[in-house]
Structure formats: structure tokens, C-alpha cells
Amino acid sequence: MARAATTALHGRDPELAVLREALSRLRFGVGVVVVIEGTPGMGKSRLLAEAMRMAGRMSVRAGLGEADPSEAVVELAPLLRALFDGAAPLLERSALPVVHSGPEQRYWLVQDLESLLEGAAAVAPVVVCLDDLQWADSGTLAALRALPPRLESVPVAWILAARAIPPGSAVDNLVEQLASHGARRIILEPLTPDAVAELASEVMEASPDQALLELAVDAAGNPFFLVELLQGLREERLVRIEEGEARLVEARLPERVAAGMRHRLARLSESARQLAVAAASLGRSFTVGELASMLGAPATSLLTPVEQLIEAGVFAERADRLAFRHNIIREAVRGSTTISARRALDRQAVDVLLAAGAIPVEVASQLATSAEPGDEVAVGLLTDAADALGPRDPAAAAELGRRAVDLIPAGHRGAGSLVATTTILLHAAGQVNDAQAFAQEHLRNVVPAAEEAAVCLSLASMFALSPDVRAEAGRRALALRDLSDEDRAQHQARLAYNLIQAGRSHEATHLLQHARVTIERAGDLATRSILRLADGALLYVDGHFDRALAAHEQAMRDGFGLGEGTREWVARQWRSELLAVLDRFEESLDLISAGIAAANRERQAFALDFFETWRGRQLFQTGHLPEAAAALEGRFDAAGGMPVAGALYAAGVVALGRVAIHTGDERLKRETAALARAMLADGTPASRGHGSWLLALAAMARGQPADARAALDAAGPASGGSVTPLYPMDVTDDPQLVRIALAAGDSRLAADTVGAAEERARRNPRIRSVGAAAAHARGLLDADATSLGEACLLFDGGPRPLALASALEDLGVAQLRTGAPALGVDTLGRALVRYTETGATWDAGRVRGRLRANGVRRRLVTRPRPTAGWAALTDSELAVVRLIAQGLTNRATAVRLFISPHTVNSHLRHAFTKLAVNSRVELARVVDAHTGGQALDN
């Protein structure tokens, strides 16, 4: 009896309706995401195929990519297949810019794909289907975290399928994030009895009798297993078709189901069985030529066994390749052989795939599990794959490196280099404890002291690592015997710098007291320049801001030499901080804009993120709260477990948290509080200081001064609550700390803070904000309206309107308290205007309450910005929507406005909410309506 094929999807009408409705939304110019989940055999791939057919009927282009477990370290493999492969690719591969290997590769590749998809969707809708996400590489998952939210305003549909997703897994985190952005989820349940009967009717080409339906219960509603059962019954003639009814002849499972894959293969010819087992090691799909190489036989000899396997439902044809009909079948074939045989075949398949043109990284996962100790070819290939993978996925590269170390023969000359590289990769992946254990086990045994010192020098210069980890690498190197003076100086300079970045300035000062002469004598340019950076940073911590800038600029003039490109970017960014504490914000923001433009031009993702974070922080300090939120939102991920690495990013979290407090944004307050707690739990002294400060400010905003004071102690037992000045600092923090101390009854902390602020002011007599902050702090401590008035005069006309508003509010309260109600009301009115102009709605509400308590209802000449409609858009949002409405992509808009694509997305998201639109088509109509169809200046 011939095997019947199934064509219809049975029992999946609700799921098909979800897909149909999702794809129909493309007509409105918006993006959509659907996630399909289910156990093997439930029909995920069939639903994806149906989505592809639906797209075809709508004349919408669609692409399909499937993840494969053998490609777990192949960057973006399934996504790139979906976009660039097939008879009618969604995108032209030639349009993808040449990607150079480097730490920024993944970031820029995702940016390029975003621009290409955005451009393609502007012409016609696009559907991207991805199957078996449980096997997807980390790059694909990272791209899916980024691309659908960024492209939600253009007609791109993402139809994603995965097996049942384990809670807490990377795929689970992805799906939860997508769901928070509105993704639809389809959970495939077992077929209903009616659907089972429909499917049985199709396979049997007749109505099943009751006995057949009762036997079908053994398939547990799983479509794949049900079809296997029914087709087995047909093949073994266990059913009889009479008068349009399929009647069960014998109530037993067919051999193909009962005996398992090993016995099922045994029923085929020996050549077919060997072919199936060999094919299972080649991956999901393969060519006849690759099969011939595996078996060492001419291709012509494989024609008959290939036909047998197709007829038996093991193989299927896919364009110009063969593939297993289902992954379940491939897994069963692999399981039909012994482990040792499977490993040998997998290893042979690696050689076949390499000979067919595969590169090491494409076969690395299979090679790592199949090679035996002493396999030097495997060691070389794994090392090559780790080198290629390291810049974009250090965790996966480190695993390959560790496996290569396990395989390498004793005494191999390449052992030292391999161990050193793997140690660095483990650190780069953030696996610090594993890295230290690995180094302890292998480094000293195979690596000479000079080479170990070089490894430590690399770690000490890796800015992606915590400065404490970098400092520990320096200490390890300095403890080595026979370290040359040159090497010692290099490590001492970097150790001092890293200690300062960690918030351990006292340790850095002590180190330099003993090491300065050695470092000064060093012939290495970078070493001497790093010393000057450290000196400048210590001067900054001590409040000598002019001198700090002079030392820093001398270091930048001297330069850092080869191999210190990242340090140069960091030095450029830090110069913007030194300009800011000098109240030279205009110069600082110009420098940041130039840095963003250069980072975009030179494809430096690290620098772009750094500069944009700093831009957001300075926008907060200068009172541009909506713009600050746009720059900083989404940069820090508490839920995803991503650490805030270093005090510079910690300062960005504090800025975002303070924006949330001033604007009353409850969601942002919760998110930044979670980040602050994470910084306290696992951070350097500098990061802990920032975390405790944000939690203290948040508690004070809730009217809980005792909790605020307790939060300050969380920075460390030695702090005594005195967390200011933070590193990096905001020179206007001291009045807020005095406010907390007084409210909590800690007069000593208040007095110490005022003393420190006044000393800083004495050291910087020309910086108005520093003097104003000292006067503000003194006015609060002494309840002195004169000092508060002095603070207002110094802040007035300066670059810090929020600080001015705070001083005005405190002065107004003091004037009311001392019997000058008219003055007090007038001063509070001025504070209200400043708060309103900056967007500090929470503060403005508080001041309105003070005025109402004194019988005043103040109407502002400057009205608060509306929360919805065209008038609600900020200047930055207007600039973005005008360019987007003209057809520019996010990337092109970012380049035009000297901001990052991340900030463009933030501005667009806020603008869409304010304008109540969902797509760029709707946005263009709104812009046209408000500009009379005339092109707008940019």
C-alpha cells in the first residue's frame, strides 16, 4: 500500500487565525512578532511553512532560516539564511557592508541588517521565519532581542518557532522580552479527538473506524507520531479500506513505531542504513557528493539507497540538497548507533565538510565533541575557530579553547599560547571565577613568567572587565619573579589607573608613592601617559579640577602608542567629564558629539555606547530630562543579568534613575532601583557608591529619610554615609546629601559634607557651580537664607537649571519660615518655572503643593509641555520624526543628528506614543498634516 502524504493542517484553526491576523497587520505598516512553541512533532515547522504560504498569497516576500545544533557557534547562521538565501532572497548579500573581524563585529552587523531590513520594508512588507530557535547561536538571539523592537514601526513580521522553552534559558529571556513588546505566543497543544479523526481520514483516504481511533490514542495527539503510526499501519496492511472506511485489522503498533529506528533501518538495505547513519553526522541537510565522500563511494552507487530512504520517509528533497524529513528522525537515526561510532562519524564528517568549503567555526561544535586527545589537527582547527569567534562571542570561543587544551598533546609547543588566549577569553566573557581557576591550573605550568605577565597586561587593559578584575591581573603580574623593570612599570601604571577607576584612590596614591620613579623611567610611551591619566584622575578626586584637566590633556598630547586604541577613546570621553565639572558643558557636549560621529564613522560600538551614555548624563545635569531619558533608556539591563561594568556606566544608571525621580516615572524608578541593588551586590567601591546614592535619593523622594540614610551605609562600612564625591561626581550632589543627613538626624554627616564642599569650592574659586553647591549645602545646614540666596545667585545664568531650581525651592521655604511670605512665594514661583522648563514634573508638583499651602495658585507664563499631540514633542523628537518622515533610516538619522541609533529608537518610541501612531506611514501623514506638505529644514 503506497504511503499517503498529508497536506492540510488539522486542528490548528486558532493558531492559523493568529498567524493570519498578524500578517494582515503588515498592511498598516507596522511590525509584528509571533512565537510558536511546542514539543517535537507538534507541528511548529508546518505552521512556519503555512506562514510562508500565507505571505505568498499576500504577495509578501518571506524567508526561512533553521537553526542547527551543529552551528551553535556560527554567528547569526539561521537569521542570515532567512535573509539572504532562497530563490528570492529578502535582501541582497552584496548590499551588506564588508564586516571586519573585531570586538565590534556583531554590533555593526546587527546595525547593518537593521538598515537593510528597514529599507526593504519601506518598499514592501517582509516576513522572516526562523525555526528551531532552541539551537540558535548567541548572535541570532542577540539580534532578535534588538531587531524586532527597533523595527516595530515598519512592516516586518517575525515568525519564530522553538521547542518547549526551559524557564530561565536564553531563549526564554528573549521570548519574555519580545512578549513585553507585544509579541503573540502560540503554545501548540495535542490535537483534539476531532482533529485526530480528520488527520486519520486524510492519511487513510477513508474514514477511520472506532478501533483505529482508539489505537491512535497512543500518539498522544502529536501530529508527527500520529502520521508515523497511521502510515505504518498502511505499510504493514494492518488496516483494510472497505466502502470508504478504514478498518483496523489487527490492534497492534506497526513495526516502524514499535521497533524503533534501529529496527526500522534494519528493514532497509545495508547500503541505505549506512547512508542514513552517515548523513546524520553531516547535519540537517547535505549533498549526494558529501554522502559519497563520507562513504568513500562514487555518487552513482548512492542513487538506489537515496531513493529507498526517500520512499521510507527518512529523507526528503529540498531544492538541490537532501535533508532528513524531520529532526526527530535525524535524532533517532543518530541514537540508533553506539556513542563511539557516532563520535568517529562526526569527526569524519568534519573533514568532509571542510573539504566541501566549510570554515573552522562552522564545524567547531561538532569537532569539539568528536575529537580524541592527541588530535593535533582538531587542536589547530579549534584554535582557528576560537580566534575567529573570540571578538564577537568570547564565551563560545573560550569553550572551544578549553576543549583544545584538553586535546593538546603533552609538551606541545603551542600549549602556552593556547592557554594564555583561553584565559583572556574567559575574562572577556565575564567568567572571572572560571578564568582564575583555569589560569591557576594551567598558566603557571605551561607559560613562562614573561608570557604570563603579557597575559596579565592584556587583562589589565580590557575595559570591558570590572576595574577590580583588571587590578587583580596587575597584582598577579607584579607578584611574578624576575619581572623586568619595563614590565613592572607597565603593570604599576595600569594598576594605579585601574584602582582609581574602581574607587580605590587611596590605594592608588599609596602605590604611586613607591612606584612613580620606576614608571617615570620607563621607555614605554603608553606607560608614562597612563601615569599622567592616573595623576589627573587623582587630582579630580581631590577636587583640583583645573590641574586635573591639564594633566589629562598632557597625557593625550603625548599619546598612548600602538595597541591602546580603546584607552584613547576612553581618554577622549573622560576629557568631556573634566570639562563638565568646570561648567564648560557646551565644549563638553561638542566633544561628545564629535566622539559619536567618529565612533559611527570608525565603527567603534564600545566608544559609541560610552559617549552616548555620557551625553545622557550631561543632558540630565543641564536640565534636558526628556533628551537624557532617550539617550539612557534601555542601555542597562537588570532583568537580563547584564552587569553594569565600571563606575562610568554606574554614573549613567544614577543619571537615568534621577531622571525617573524628577519626572515621576514609576517604571524607570523600579528598573534603575534594581540596577542599583545589583551594583551594591556585586560592584567595585565606586559602583557601590553610585548604587547606594541612587537608592538613598529614591528613598528620600518617597519621604523615608531613615531608609535613605541606611542606603548610604550600604556603600561600605567605612563610608559613614559620606558617599560624595562619587567617582565620577556631580558637583551639585552635596546639598542633597546634607538634606538626607539633616532629615535623618545625622548632624555629623551633614557638617562633614558641608566642610568637604567648601574645601572643594576653595580649590576651584572660578567654578560657579562648585561655589554654589557649597553655599547651598551651608544654607541647608545652618538654615541660613543668606547662604541659600548666594547659591541661587551663583547658579543663576549657569548651566545647571535643576540645581538652581532646588536652591530656589530651599530659599523660598526658608523665606516663608522666617516671616517673608511674599518673598517666599515669589521665590517658589521661580523654582516652579525652572522645574517646569526642565520637565521635572514631580518636583513641580511638590512646589505647587507648597504654594497651595500658602494660599497661592500660580499660573505659569511658560506652560508645561503637553503629554500628547504634536506640541508634546521635544525639539530632539521633532528633529528625528522629520528625518524619519522624509524616508531616512534610523542609522542615517543617527549620523545626521550626531547621536546613536539607540537614541533615535528611543525618540521614535516616545514620539509614536505622544502622536498615537504605530507606523512610519502614519507618522509621515502626521508630519505632512503639521507642515503643510512642505519639506522641513533639518
Side-chain angles (χ1 to χ4, degrees), residues 72 95 218 360 531 545 622 876 921:
D218 287 337
L531 172 63
F545 298 141
T622 54
S876 297
V921 173

Side-chain angles (χ1 to χ4, degrees), residues 87-111:
L90 298 180
L91 305 175
E92 291 295 330
R93 193 174 290 271
S94 60
L96 192 65
V98 176
V99 179
H100 302 286
S101 180
E104 320 292 343
Q105 179 172 339
R106 176 183 293 175
Y107 174 90
W108 292 110
L109 181 54
V110 171
Q111 293 286 330

